[in-house]
Amino acid sequence: MLTKYKPLVIICLRNAIICWGLSFCFFNVVAQEFTFSGNRQKQSLKFRSIKNLIVIPVFINGKGPFDFVLDTGVGPMIITEPTVIDSLDFSMLRKIKISGLGVETIDAYVSQNISAQIGQAKINNIPTAILKEDLFNLSGHLGIKIYGIIGYSFFNSFIVDVRYAENRIIFADPLKKIKYRGTRIPIEIEHLKPYVYADVEAPGGKKVRSRFLMDTGASHALSMEMLNGGAFPQPVKKIPANLGMSLSGQIKGFLGRINKISFDGYTFKDVVAGFPDFETIAHKIDLSDRNGNLGAELLRKFDVQFNYQESFIYVKPNINYKAPFEHDMTGMTIYLDQSEYKHVIIGEIDENSPAEKAGLCPYDEIIGVNFKPVNFYSFNDLSELFRAKAGRAIIFEIYRDKKTFFKIVKLEKRI
């Protein structure tokens, strides 16, 4: 079934999702592929893992490198920072509409005259959506400058081995003989994205065969969205949470745990999952082709070899496999503002959360954590610290209304 609106990107921040939609029917996608020059057939490339997301260097039109998110959840490449393209004349580009989960739409621009390079692999005329401004605010939420998102064109050109435990990808020509590792699992490529089936133990103990979008661009483990045309059943123990934002505001929902999810011999218990408000997302996203979204918090427990052309993956457990699933225990989001001085700002705060109980407020600036300057930490460090251990106290040095003071947040496991 052709989907009218598909999620353009789902970025999970603090086990939350930021959802955007794009109608891909505006793209007349040409079967362009990345190719190696000369006799090269394989390359290894290090990546940065930030909040479970894969950040790789990409050259655009011979310039760069620029940091992009490598995301199985997107089709055409997305440029979120148009300054990477010199002398860009928006008046000469075709305009499309991007629709979020609210009523607003914004303009984006389409080009198929852009080249990209990852390592020694190049592609010409890659289908691209260009935003006039960074509406995703990926840079703010990841703490480094992000220039765009790339997905299908890369994964469809190679056999891509994502080694989460090593922060490394190995990509090889599909014609090269590859040694696969682990367990083979079939996937389905639909609308330029990979889907996988898994058995989920829903609240009440019922086992549900579920179809998931595999999304390396989602930091969460699971987002449970739909079952039998309605909302996926929610667990009894849950907490209200801001699960992300659309173009017109916050997406409300709950955080809870799925008792069990299993696929091809691998079983995970007590998996943290988001349950977005069904009425909100169903108005803008056709959920009939999936039950939810399987993100990088779960995928990172494996080294994953993607073969889009033959529709399968191989998964092999790595050192992350037995790590428990935890959620942020402060109950707040943080972001890096885009001013010259890059202040770390508190965003949303969940009701009755440890952050709220400690007296923290949205728009507070964090200038220190545990008596160290905040710039001592990466955003990845802070993310790990905020979900480290229930009962642990974190001391925040806060700047508000031209005054500096300290607040103590005691981490709390709420689900």
Side-chain angles (χ1 to χ4, degrees), residues 18-271:
I18 293 181
C19 299
W20 306 82
L22 174 65
S23 178
F24 289 123
C25 63
F26 288 99
F27 283 94
N28 182 18
V29 178
V30 181
Q32 299 288 342
E33 293 184 346
F34 279 90
T35 56
F36 288 117
S37 58
N39 296 321
R40 180 184 286 272
Q41 292 184 296
K42 182 179 179 181
Q43 185 172 5
S44 174
L45 186 70
K46 295 290 287 186
F47 66 82
R48 280 193 281 181
S49 177
I50 305 177
K51 296 185 178 180
N52 295 330
L53 303 189
I54 299 169
V55 179
I56 61 170
V58 179
F59 288 84
I60 300 297
N61 290 347
K63 303 290 182 64
F66 305 104
D67 283 329
F68 273 58
V69 172
L70 183 62
D71 185 355
T72 54
V74 300
M77 183 172 71
I78 304 158
I79 291 178
T80 58
E81 178 49 71
T83 58
V84 303
I85 305 173
D86 293 336
S87 304
L88 186 64
D89 185 355
F90 283 100
S91 67
M92 301 297 292
L93 299 178
R94 188 153 46 103
K95 184 186 296 186
I96 62 174
K97 296 290 185 181
I98 292 181
S99 176
L101 296 183
V103 297
E104 300 177 18
T105 58
I106 59 166
D107 293 331
Y109 297 83
V110 174
S111 176
Q112 289 185 246
N113 296 314
I114 293 174
S115 66
Q117 179 178 341
I118 298 174
Q120 297 301 311
K122 299 180 180 179
I123 185 173
N124 294 317
N125 309 118
I126 181 172
T128 304
I130 304 165
L131 306 183
K132 294 186 74 172
E133 57 183 308
D134 184 8
L135 298 166
F136 299 114
N137 194 24
L138 287 175
S139 300
H141 288 292
L142 298 185
I144 65 169
K145 185 65 176 178
I146 299 294
Y147 291 85
I149 310 165
I150 193 165
Y152 176 80
S153 295
F154 181 74
F155 281 96
N156 194 52
S157 299
F158 302 109
I159 298 168
V160 181
D161 186 351
V162 179
R163 301 194 178 185
Y164 280 103
E166 303 171 20
N167 286 353
R168 183 162 64 106
I169 58 172
I170 302 171
F171 47 105
D173 189 300
L175 297 179
K176 180 177 174 58
K177 187 175 181 180
I178 298 295
K179 181 179 180 180
Y180 290 102
R181 303 173 304 133
T183 303
R184 176 174 169 143
I185 299 175
I187 62 174
E188 296 174 353
I189 306 298
E190 186 175 318
H191 304 300
L192 315 183
K193 299 170 188 176
Y195 293 83
V196 67
Y197 286 88
D199 293 317
V200 175
E201 184 179 309
K206 180 181 178 181
K207 186 171 77 170
V208 178
R209 186 67 170 170
S210 301
R211 190 176 192 244
F212 291 94
L213 170 65
M214 294 185 67
D215 197 347
T216 62
S219 293
H220 58 235
L222 292 175
S223 175
M224 306 305 304
E225 300 161 353
M226 186 274 292
L227 181 62
N228 298 328
F232 200 93
Q234 298 175 358
V236 174
K237 190 174 183 179
K238 60 190 177 184
I239 55 174
N242 294 306
L243 296 179
M245 66 178 65
S246 71
L247 297 180
S248 59
Q250 289 294 320
I251 302 169
K252 303 296 183 180
F254 294 90
L255 281 179
R257 291 183 183 268
I258 291 293
N259 291 333
K260 185 186 299 184
I261 180 171
S262 303
F263 52 91
D264 291 85
Y266 299 102
T267 297
F268 298 96
K269 298 180 179 180
D270 296 324
V271 181

